[in-house]
Amino acid sequence: MFYTDKTQGVDRFRVEQNLPENLVEDARMSSELNSELTPIHLDLKSELESTDLSTVASIQVRRLVWEIAPSSTESSLDQKEDGLADNFNFLESMKLYIAAEVNGERKEVFLAGVNDFNLRFGGNRKQLTMKQNGMDIKEFVEAPGGFHILAHIHGTPPPDRVIFTGKVTYRITTDGS
């Protein structure tokens, strides 16, 4: 999805990408949840094929939305499926990092984070929105191997597996040439 705004010779547009499903194991594995989810590999270059990257001034992650996936309650995927609607109550914190190989070196930078989900968002939340601070990620997007979003989560394991997915919204600014 694209949204375009042209002001004083500067083009701004937004691109949305779907995030793949992530799985959080249930309490059978451990009594404490402190792990890194599977890295989410993203390729924004293909979304920007019609834009000359040399004219791109900045790329920002504007918003990440996480939501419980419909597959999260499928008993064929989860032997402990309890029939109750899954939610994010198991989370106490989530920290997101962006990582890529930049100029031959691995670079990893804090992107966003939220603590105390239950206090901040209330119970039974099926969707979480994380707004970003406007950091320019252009060097990560231009990395030859693309970039990854790494999610570190902490909390209490849910009673059954929870599967969630999401969307990321980028704002791309060009110099208008």
Side-chain angles (χ1 to χ4, degrees), residues 23-29 68 71-74 76-82 86 90 158-163:
L23 169 71
V24 176
E25 288 291 347
D26 58 61
R28 286 179 292 177
M29 304 305 249
I68 301 296
S71 59
S72 191
T73 56
E74 288 181 21
S76 64
L77 299 173
D78 188 355
Q79 295 174 350
K80 288 187 72 176
E81 177 56 52
D82 59 11
D86 289 336
F90 64 93
D160 64 0
R161 289 180 177 175
V162 173
I163 301 170

Side-chain angles (χ1 to χ4, degrees), residues 65-130:
V65 177
W66 303 101
E67 59 190 16
I68 301 296
S71 59
S72 191
T73 56
E74 288 181 21
S75 57
S76 64
L77 299 173
D78 188 355
Q79 295 174 350
K80 288 187 72 176
E81 177 56 52
D82 59 11
L84 300 174
D86 289 336
N87 55 50
F88 287 103
N89 288 358
F90 64 93
L91 286 177
E92 290 175 16
S93 69
M94 178 185 280
K95 293 181 181 177
L96 303 178
Y97 297 84
I98 187 167
E101 189 169 315
V102 178
N103 299 323
E105 292 184 34
R106 178 173 163 76
K107 186 171 183 179
E108 185 175 311
V109 177
F110 179 77
L111 188 62
V114 177
N115 293 319
D116 301 323
F117 275 93
N118 291 330
L119 296 173
R120 184 170 174 182
F121 295 109
N124 300 320
R125 187 92 172 170
K126 295 180 185 191
Q127 185 180 62
L128 300 173
T129 301
M130 300 176 78

Side-chain angles (χ1 to χ4, degrees), residues 145-177:
F147 64 96
H148 296 78
I149 301 289
L150 306 172
H152 297 272
I153 60 174
H154 182 74
T156 304
D160 64 0
R161 289 180 177 175
V162 173
I163 301 170
F164 63 97
T165 186
K167 288 186 183 199
V168 59
T169 303
Y170 305 93
R171 181 170 73 186
I172 291 90
T173 303
T174 66
D175 64 11
S177 22

Side-chain angles (χ1 to χ4, degrees), residues 18-57:
N18 291 323
L19 298 172
E21 289 186 345
N22 269 283
L23 169 71
V24 176
E25 288 291 347
D26 58 61
R28 286 179 292 177
M29 304 305 249
S30 171
S31 62
E32 186 176 332
L33 179 64
N34 189 9
S35 65
E36 182 176 301
L37 299 178
T38 304
I40 302 166
H41 179 76
L42 296 170
D43 177 15
L44 190 55
K45 285 183 196 175
S46 61
E47 299 277 345
L48 299 174
E49 285 178 349
S50 63
T51 304
D52 179 5
L53 277 177
S54 68
T55 66
V56 171

